[in-house]
Amino acid sequence: MLTRAARGPTDQAIAQALFLSPRTVHSHVEHLLRKTGSASRAEATALALRDGLLRPTPEDLEHFVERIPAG
């Protein structure tokens, strides 16, 4: 669930992809945030990346890496 949430889609989009209700997805995300002590999906994602629990594929990097503008 965290991998999908980290990519940025809404609860509704995740629910459709996993054949779940949006409320179920919302509950899972809320539990993730509570268990990790995170205030946001971004913070939970950063913690998971730091701890090696989330390993993005090359295609996922655009979602997980902050781009610094050239200049």
Side-chain angles (χ1 to χ4, degrees), residues 15-63:
Q16 279 186 317
L18 298 178
F19 303 102
L20 299 170
S21 77
R23 183 155 171 79
T24 298
V25 172
H26 179 78
S27 293
H28 283 294
V29 171
E30 289 297 313
H31 292 145
L32 262 166
L33 297 178
R34 191 171 332 122
K35 286 181 179 183
T36 61
S38 301
S40 66
R41 292 177 186 211
E43 185 179 357
T45 300
L47 292 172
L49 286 168
R50 181 196 71 193
D51 294 343
L53 301 173
L54 188 60
R55 296 186 186 109
T57 64
E59 296 82 34
D60 290 330
L61 287 179
E62 69 183 63
H63 300 285

